[in-house]
């Protein structure tokens, strides 16, 4: 009994682990409910959209990590060169990306990818995933680059950096191993959690805009089905609009979770997942005192 009490006490104090458990439990509970009350074609659409959305978001986080690390190392190397042109050109490129709103940049990139898919460049939905991940990471990576550069600049001001240089340790090892890995990996991982949530939000927003702005079938043909594109479907929009009927007929609320389940499920998955990712990120920072 004491062991169970300690377990729940530790879980409550570790908000990131608690919210991860809440998120997984909520998704599984919703899946069981949908298996019972949602028709099979709609259920398969929701599963596919959920899988595609979070697979692409994970790819974005991975690409952002490697791209952010490469840009950070390139900036650190070119900044020490006598010829400042490469550093200034790289900073100019990053400032251009920084000046473009993320949702606008991702929207433009998705349109280009959709056109490439129409021409047959991508043979399947899975081959589009890396392209979508790279496109989205280009407009998110600045956040990670800023964090890594802040960590490097912070540790360069400390005595241990000069001491290691005096001992003959190469600067690349100091930056990559001692600063970014040993002393900053928790900060970087926490940022990647936030980037994962940002990728889900951007992806759903852009897919919704494309589906609504062009036609209800454009996304299913050109881009993989995601939660954002499912939310733009006419049946999902009708399900969402049905929520307004409970204000005039409160007894109709019971029908929302059976007759209008697809749209409510998709909307719940987006909102619930985004909130959980936000809570996990905050809980992780709190637990590790970042």
């Amino acid at each position: 009994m004491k062991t169970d009490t300690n377990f729940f006490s530790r879980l409550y104090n570790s908000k990131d682990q608690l919210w991860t458990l809440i998120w997984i439990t909520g998704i599984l509970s919703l899946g069981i409910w949908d298996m019972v009350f949602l028709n099979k074609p709609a259920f398969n659409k929701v599963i596919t959209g959920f899988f595609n959305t979070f697979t692409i978001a994970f790819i974005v986080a991975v690409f952002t990590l490697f791209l952010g690390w490469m840009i950070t190392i390139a900036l650190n190397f070119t900044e020490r060169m006598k010829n400042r042109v490469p550093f200034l050109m790289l900073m100019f490129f990053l400032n251009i990306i920084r000046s473009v709103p993320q949702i606008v940049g991702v929207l433009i990139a998705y349109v280009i990818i959709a056109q490439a898919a129409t021409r047959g460049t991508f043979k399947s939905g899975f081959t589009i995933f890396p392209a979508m991940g790279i496109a989205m990471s280009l407009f998110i990576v600045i956040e990670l680059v800023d964090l890594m550069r802040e960590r490097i600049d912070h540790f360069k001001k400390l005595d241990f950096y000069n001491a290691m240089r005096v001992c003959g340790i190469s600067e690349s090892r100091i930056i990559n191993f001692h600063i970014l890995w040993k002393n900053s990996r928790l900060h970087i991982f926490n940022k990647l959690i936030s980037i994962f949530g940002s990728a889900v939000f951007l992806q759903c927003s852009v897919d919704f805009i494309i589906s609504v702005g062009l036609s209800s079938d454009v996304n299913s043909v050109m881009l993989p089905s995601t939660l954002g594109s499912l939310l733009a479907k006419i049946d999902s929009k009708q399900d969402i609009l049905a929520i307004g009927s409970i204000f005039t007929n409160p007894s109709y609320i019971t029908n929302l979770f059976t007759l209008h389940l697809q749209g409510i499920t998709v909307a719940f998955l987006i909102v619930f997942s985004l909130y959980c990712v936000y809570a996990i990120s905050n809980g992780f920072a709190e637990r590790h005192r970042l």
Side-chain angles (χ1 to χ4, degrees):
M1 189 70 174
K2 184 177 180 180
T3 303
D4 293 339
T5 304
N6 292 336
F7 170 76
F8 286 108
S9 176
R10 289 195 302 269
L11 186 63
Y12 179 78
N13 293 327
S14 303
K15 297 297 175 58
D16 54 329
Q17 298 176 359
L18 175 63
W19 276 102
T20 300
L21 180 62
I22 292 174
W23 182 66
I24 294 174
T25 303
I27 297 300
L28 292 177
S29 301
L30 181 62
I32 295 173
W33 183 273
D34 285 352
M35 287 179 63
V36 176
F37 294 102
L38 189 60
N39 62 79
K40 189 173 182 179
F43 182 67
N44 291 335
K45 289 181 181 179
V46 172
I47 292 179
T48 302
F50 179 85
F51 174 79
N52 290 345
T53 298
F54 287 90
T55 299
I56 295 172
F58 177 78
I59 293 174
V60 170
V62 173
F63 274 123
T64 302
L65 174 61
F66 285 99
L67 186 60
W69 172 75
M70 289 189 294
I71 293 175
T72 302
I73 297 302
L75 286 172
N76 184 73
F77 175 75
T78 56
E79 191 175 16
R80 294 183 288 107
M81 295 173 57
K82 292 182 179 180
N83 186 1
R84 300 276 294 176
V85 174
F87 175 76
L88 294 176
M89 289 180 62
L90 186 55
M91 287 298 298
F92 178 73
F93 173 74
L94 294 177
N95 288 332
I96 290 177
I97 295 178
R98 196 190 301 272
S99 65
V100 178
Q102 288 180 337
I103 193 168
V104 175
V106 174
L107 180 60
I108 295 172
Y110 270 36
V111 170
I112 296 173
I113 293 173
Q115 292 176 347
T118 304
R119 294 192 295 267
T121 304
F122 304 102
K123 302 301 181 182
S124 66
F126 287 102
T127 59
I128 302 179
F129 287 3
M132 298 172 71
I134 294 174
M136 201 178 304
S137 64
L138 285 174
F139 298 95
I140 300 179
V141 71
I142 301 296
E143 301 177 19
L144 187 61
V145 172
D146 289 342
L147 172 64
M148 289 183 174
R149 284 178 58 80
E150 287 175 4
R151 298 295 296 174
I152 293 173
D153 291 341
H154 169 73
F155 282 97
K156 277 187 174 181
K157 297 175 182 178
L158 302 181
D159 293 336
F160 102 101
Y161 178 83
N162 293 326
M164 285 187 175
R165 292 292 290 155
V166 170
C167 292
I169 302 176
S170 65
E171 185 173 10
S172 61
R173 178 173 176 80
I174 296 174
I175 291 175
N176 289 304
F177 181 72
H178 293 282
I179 296 179
L180 295 181
W181 173 249
K182 291 190 67 175
N183 292 286
S184 302
R185 65 178 182 271
L186 294 178
H187 297 79
I188 294 173
F189 183 75
N190 188 55
K191 174 59 71 173
L192 290 176
I193 296 175
S194 301
I195 287 173
F196 180 85
S198 298
V200 173
F201 174 76
L202 286 172
Q203 185 183 164
C204 292
S205 301
V206 170
D207 280 340
F208 184 84
I209 293 172
I210 291 177
S211 298
V212 172
L214 300 179
S215 74
S216 60
D217 295 324
V218 167
N219 189 268
S220 61
V221 174
M222 296 181 179
L223 298 175
S225 176
T226 64
L227 293 177
S229 61
L230 283 178
L231 193 62
K233 299 294 184 183
I234 185 64
D235 45 358
S236 295
K237 289 188 286 188
Q238 290 175 343
D239 293 339
I240 299 300
L241 291 174
I243 298 177
S245 61
I246 65 175
F247 294 103
T248 57
N249 184 15
S251 61
Y252 192 74
I253 190 173
T254 57
N255 296 324
L256 293 179
F257 305 103
T258 54
L259 300 179
H260 304 283
L261 197 52
Q262 177 179 324
I264 292 178
T265 296
V266 173
F268 176 81
L269 284 173
I270 296 173
V271 176
F272 178 66
S273 297
L274 289 176
Y275 183 81
C276 286
V277 171
Y278 170 78
I280 291 170
S281 178
N282 285 347
F284 187 85
E286 179 181 341
R287 181 160 64 97
H288 295 281
R289 299 175 182 177
L290 302 181

